[in-house]
Amino acid sequence: MKKDTNVSSAAPSTDTPTAKTSAHWVGVGSLGIGVFAIVMSEYLPASLLPPIAADLGISVGAAGQSVTVTAVAAALSALFISVVLPRTDRRRVMLGLTLLAVISDVVVGLAPNLAVVLASRFLLGIALGGFWAMATAMAASLVPEGYLGRALTVINIGVSVATVGAVPLGAWLGDVWGWRAVFLLGAGLAAVALIVQAVTLPHVAAASGSGLRALGSTLRSRVVIILLFAVLLVFSGHFSGFTYIRPISASLSNIDTAGLALLLLVFGIANFLGTAVGGTLADRALRVTVFLFPALAGIGMFVMLTTGGSTVGLYVAAALWGFGFGGVPTAALTWGAKLEPTRLEQIGGLIITVCNIGVAVGAILGGIIVDGVSPSASLVFGGLAALAGAVLLVSLRQHPAASRPEEYASAPDTTERANTA
């Protein structure tokens, strides 16, 4: 009997989980490698701004706009990638976005001036937002429905590792090799991800409704609007505090530079663990997950506020906060996929866009609070925002259509394995 080489990304799977997951986890892993390379490139300037500015003959503030332009492009790309490319094979889209990251890092590494740096970093933003937005739909096409949370964990672990490691690694290698070589190394990692994706990712046809109308229909859903507002609360709450973690910790304790480095390490390890646990928990108890992780992040901020005068209390708070926020992206994306199972590209793009907006809003509001009230006061806002987001997320109810798989079970297969002939 001829083996069926098609799997559907729209309908719930009737295959056994073991048979299907064993064939596609490598592809999921390649997405994790890709997002790791792209996010690492996003964070590299944070540790390299002084040498970049000195080499290009500009101010550190001007060099810092390389981070701003990336975030703006990421938000736009996440929102509109499925609109701009409504019918393109999703395998080709992911490969193209990874290639953009390679090109961006190479051009930055060779850039003669700030204008070239900003233009190439805009390309990286397109790659970042588009890749991460498409990742949920791609993961859903590679694994059975009951494994989506774990697949997103594999992808988001790439984000977590890049977030924790990019800044110290960039600073160290920048001192050893120079800042241009660090970006060329980033290009090399992205090129490795591109090769792995080319070998492992199957062809995935675009969903039947992937244009502007589908995006508008998704935004008309009251449940989606509440979901997005909850995500905005959690992300803005987190970044209103985390952006200013140094002045906050200094205002609460006598922690020195070495102690701050250890504090960030504790946060990073806990964040990684939260990311690793989040997917399995989301697959088994999603409603618990979408409340637990943002709530823990909020509680961690309040614990830091109340016990931060003690070094032990400061580290315990960082561990709670880091673990809680580590599981938030996987929980939010899995919840979004559950609420809108037939519009995975749109809901994924919207969530990633709101995450980027939350980063900016949190940094702005946190700065106002730190300057106008006190550094520790930003923990009050951040903790309340995260807890409010957790309550909103757990209060959401699945749309009736999402619980009736028969409505889309007859949809044509949209995924096929790559031709190995």
Side-chain angles (χ1 to χ4, degrees), residues 106 236 371:
V106 169
S236 61
D371 291 341

Side-chain angles (χ1 to χ4, degrees), residues 103-152:
I103 294 171
S104 171
D105 282 342
V106 169
V107 175
V108 171
L110 302 175
N113 54 52
L114 179 61
V116 174
V117 170
L118 295 180
S120 51
R121 292 289 293 180
F122 191 87
L123 292 181
L124 181 71
I126 294 173
L128 172 66
F131 195 99
W132 206 356
M134 287 286 187
T136 300
M138 285 294 294
S141 72
L142 295 174
V143 300
E145 185 180 12
Y147 284 83
L148 179 59
R150 275 162 279 195
L152 289 175

Side-chain angles (χ1 to χ4, degrees), residues 282-376:
D283 286 337
R284 295 178 178 176
L286 183 53
R287 191 171 291 277
V288 171
T289 305
V290 296
F291 177 79
L292 176 65
F293 284 106
L296 281 178
I299 291 170
M301 283 183 259
F302 282 118
V303 170
M304 182 171 288
L305 180 66
T306 55
T307 67
S310 158
T311 302
V312 173
L314 202 62
Y315 291 149
V316 169
L320 279 173
W321 185 357
F323 183 84
F325 190 72
V328 167
T330 297
L333 288 167
T334 308
W335 196 213
K338 188 73 172 178
L339 294 172
E340 290 288 343
T342 60
R343 294 173 180 153
L344 297 181
E345 293 180 356
Q346 289 74 30
I347 195 66
L350 287 166
I351 289 173
I352 298 305
T353 298
V354 169
C355 289
N356 280 280
I357 294 173
V359 173
V361 170
I364 292 169
L365 292 178
I368 293 172
I369 295 170
V370 167
D371 291 341
V373 185
S374 70
S376 60

Side-chain angles (χ1 to χ4, degrees), residues 25-37:
W25 280 113
V26 176
V28 174
S30 76
L31 296 177
I33 296 171
V35 80
F36 163 76

Side-chain angles (χ1 to χ4, degrees), residues 233-258:
L233 283 174
V234 175
F235 267 76
S236 61
H238 166 72
F239 280 97
S240 70
F242 188 72
T243 304
Y244 305 96
I245 188 68
R246 184 165 187 165
I248 288 171
S249 57
S251 71
L252 294 172
S253 68
N254 295 320
I255 192 169
D256 57 12
T257 302

